[in-house]
Amino acid sequence: MRYELSKKEIGERIAKLRLKKSFSQEDLAKNIAISRPSLTQIELGNRSVSLSEMQKLSVALGFSLDDFMTKDFLANQSLKLPDEINDEIVEERISVPTLNVNKFKNVLLYILEHCAGKPNVGETVLYKLLYFSDFNYYELYEEHLTGAKYKKLPYGPVPQKLDAIINQMVEMNQLQKIKTTYKGYPQKRYLPLEKADLTLLKASEKDVIDKVIEQMSNWSATAISDYSHKDLPWEVTEEGKDISYNLAFYRELPYSVRVYDEDDND
């Protein structure tokens, strides 16, 4: 018996079937002739599925359209419960990030060269500039910039292992750490003591970082934190958990930095 399915329910069912069949999002998207970002939007419940796309999905994933529309379809397929599958969708990545410490140090130095003199750029603003540089680059090129992992914390995304890297850079006289106040609040700041090695940054990487600096480096800690809280990767991640780079493909304007094909906006 058919019943009305929401876009979210349709997306969950497709994601469950895809994972059961061991398809990656890239493989399934190619199979049904849509872009990968379109498929991620479908699975997230943000995009409707046309009849022709549903027919292609039924062939690729091996299900009956009539069965798919029934209330007990998931139970009959012996699939996981919706809450369990969401974690798998969030955790799926094109590639697992691996921290490139040397690249991270030089990105940090590059940002500080341009921003350390601005009185608003304390630790909070710096964390967000690093986050948006990493996630914007990944959305654009499907490659990691620094490979840093970011954790969802109350004031926004925070790069892991940053304290250890900064302490090492202080010991090597690459950075100076200072404590001051800004508008009556305590502030931790970092000053670069050497220039970034630009030979380690590709033109595309430098361009992404430059755009983040231009857009956000004059924002206050409160403003940039509030902005990061509305970025979908941070928004849908459980507090204290790593933020999946794969979620960058779910972004919408003004956060999305990639121009997708027409069907991405269907």
Side-chain angles (χ1 to χ4, degrees), residues 27-172:
D27 290 339
L28 182 57
K30 288 179 180 178
N31 199 302
I32 63 174
I34 66 172
S35 67
R36 182 180 181 279
S38 285
L39 180 59
T40 60
Q41 291 290 338
I42 289 171
E43 292 189 357
L44 196 64
N46 291 336
R47 180 188 184 279
S48 58
V49 189
S50 69
L51 179 58
S52 63
E53 289 169 346
M54 187 61 78
Q55 289 171 335
K56 292 176 183 177
L57 284 165
S58 71
V59 173
L61 298 175
F63 63 84
S64 160
L65 285 176
D66 286 335
D67 290 343
F68 187 89
M69 301 304 294
T70 62
K71 186 174 183 179
D72 297 327
F73 175 73
L74 293 181
N76 294 336
Q77 294 292 313
S78 299
L79 296 171
K80 296 179 181 180
L81 295 173
D83 287 344
E84 294 174 320
I85 199 66
N86 286 341
D87 290 338
E88 290 199 46
I89 296 171
V90 168
E91 289 301 321
E92 183 180 271
R93 294 173 170 86
I94 294 175
S95 59
V96 177
T98 301
L99 177 62
N100 183 328
V101 175
N102 200 29
K103 174 69 76 66
F104 187 90
K105 287 180 178 180
N106 279 278
V107 170
L108 178 61
L109 286 170
Y110 183 80
I111 291 173
L112 288 173
E113 280 179 47
H114 292 77
C115 304
K118 298 183 178 184
N120 61 298
V121 181
E123 194 172 46
T124 300
V125 174
L126 180 61
Y127 289 169
K128 308 306 175 287
L129 296 177
L130 288 164
Y131 165 79
F132 281 107
S133 294
D134 268 318
F135 273 70
N136 288 4
Y137 190 82
Y138 191 77
E139 184 191 357
L140 278 168
Y141 298 105
E142 301 186 18
E143 295 178 355
H144 295 289
L145 173 57
T146 70
K149 291 182 179 180
Y150 290 80
K151 191 180 292 293
K152 176 176 178 175
L153 294 179
Y155 294 103
V158 175
Q160 297 185 45
K161 301 183 180 179
L162 181 61
D163 286 345
I165 292 173
I166 285 179
N167 288 338
Q168 185 182 73
M169 294 177 75
V170 169
E171 291 175 3
M172 297 173 65

